[in-house]
């Protein structure tokens, strides 16, 4: 049973690796960024509420994302494991997730920090060219990561749930390092 949370700055390769491992283990890959982008594209009420935050590189309010994650993790296909990519991003979200997992009896999650130096991350994001990958928005997303999300490394480290994997290697090397670290 694999329940895995990916931490790491934007551009660390979380999405790519999460997708590869989810395929490998045949479990859902749950990316809150993907769900939000889809909602935005379809202009659902959630997408409309989230848009201004996403365009600026700010975090969407906790409550909106938490409701989304609760709805997704309680679906039947999540009973055999999952990979969360982009959630939690704040200590508050992490606390929410812990109590949610307890209430739906899905504990035992592991957390991976994909470690990649800042200059590498910025280079990768500029290449990717997504709408929120303009240079000023990238800078803001990195600031938000540092102030809101990075504290989760210590949060999960203190709970002995954390594994650190060097994300500054080829895609294949990172995948195999992840498989070894999680096995
Ligand atoms: P991502 O694809 O994970 O880089 O997410 C893209 C954008 O979606 C972020 O910059 C945030 O605006 C929003 N977002 C994704 N996940 C979360 C989350 N857990 N909490 C708040 N905002 C989020």
């Amino acid at each position: 049973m694999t329940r895995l949370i990916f931490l790491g700055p934007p551009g660390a390769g979380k999405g790519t690796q999460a997708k590869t491992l989810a395929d490998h283990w045949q479990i859902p890959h749950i990316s809150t960024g993907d769900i939000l982008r889809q909602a935005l594209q379809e202009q659902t009420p959630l997408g409309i509420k989230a848009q201004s935050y996403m365009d600026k590189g700010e975090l969407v309010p906790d409550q909106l994302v938490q409701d989304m994650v609760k709805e997704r993790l309680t679906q039947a296909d999540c009973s055999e494991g999952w990979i969360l990519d982009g959630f939690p991003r704040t200590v508050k979200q992490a606390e929410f997730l812990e109590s949610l997992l307890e209430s739906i009896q899905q504990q035992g999650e592991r957390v991976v920090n994909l470690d990649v130096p800042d200059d590498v991350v910025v280079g990768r994001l500029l290449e990717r060219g997504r709408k929120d990958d303009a240079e000023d928005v990238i800078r803001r997303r990195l600031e938000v990561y540092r102030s809101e999300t990075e504290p989760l490394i210590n949060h999960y480290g203190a709970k002995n749930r954390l594994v650190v994997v060097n994300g500054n290697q080829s895609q294949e090397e990172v995948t195999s390092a992840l498989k070894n670290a999680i096995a």
Side-chain angles (χ1 to χ4, degrees):
M1 170 74 65
T2 308
R3 298 189 181 113
L4 197 60
I5 294 169
F6 267 97
L7 295 180
K14 298 188 298 290
T16 308
Q17 294 296 334
K19 196 176 284 185
T20 303
L21 291 177
D23 281 351
H24 178 73
W25 287 316
Q26 297 275 292
I27 52 179
H29 165 216
I30 303 168
S31 156
T32 45
D34 283 353
I35 298 173
L36 287 167
R37 277 185 291 277
Q38 179 78 27
L40 205 151
Q41 202 184 334
E42 292 169 2
Q43 289 288 291
T44 66
L46 171 67
I48 291 165
K49 283 186 206 140
Q51 177 151 25
S52 62
Y53 300 97
M54 294 175 76
D55 284 350
K56 286 186 287 210
E58 303 292 342
L59 294 182
V60 171
D62 286 335
Q63 193 64 51
L64 286 181
V65 203
Q66 289 171 187
D67 288 349
M68 252 166 59
V69 167
K70 181 174 183 181
E71 194 195 325
R72 185 65 190 89
L73 285 180
T74 48
Q75 286 169 16
D77 63 339
C78 287
S79 63
E80 300 302 318
W82 37 256
I83 298 181
L84 270 176
D85 159 17
F87 184 93
R89 255 179 160 95
T90 64
V91 171
K92 230 177 132 225
Q93 291 179 11
E95 286 167 352
F96 165 84
L97 181 64
E98 277 148 39
S99 70
L100 172 66
L101 295 179
E102 196 182 322
S103 73
I104 59 177
Q105 288 164 6
Q106 291 191 12
Q107 287 125 305
E109 73 282 12
R110 314 273 301 276
V111 183
V112 179
N113 178 30
L114 262 190
D115 200 23
V116 180
D118 272 10
D119 52 339
V120 176
V121 158
V122 173
R124 286 186 189 175
L125 291 174
L126 286 171
E127 268 173 38
R128 190 168 71 176
R130 215 168 65 191
K131 190 180 176 202
D132 57 351
D133 288 337
E135 203 164 347
D136 54 334
V137 183
I138 290 177
R139 207 171 306 122
R140 182 63 194 142
R141 282 162 61 213
L142 282 170
E143 274 171 22
V144 169
Y145 175 76
R146 225 157 278 131
S147 63
E148 301 288 331
T149 310
E150 215 166 47
L152 291 179
I153 295 173
N154 286 336
H155 176 88
Y156 285 118
K159 292 176 188 283
N160 288 327
R161 295 232 164 265
L162 187 75
V163 188
V164 180
V165 167
N166 173 14
N168 192 20
Q169 325 175 59
S170 74
Q171 204 170 299
E172 292 74 20
E173 284 166 331
V174 177
T175 305
S176 78
L178 283 166
K179 284 179 184 164
N180 288 335
I182 301 306

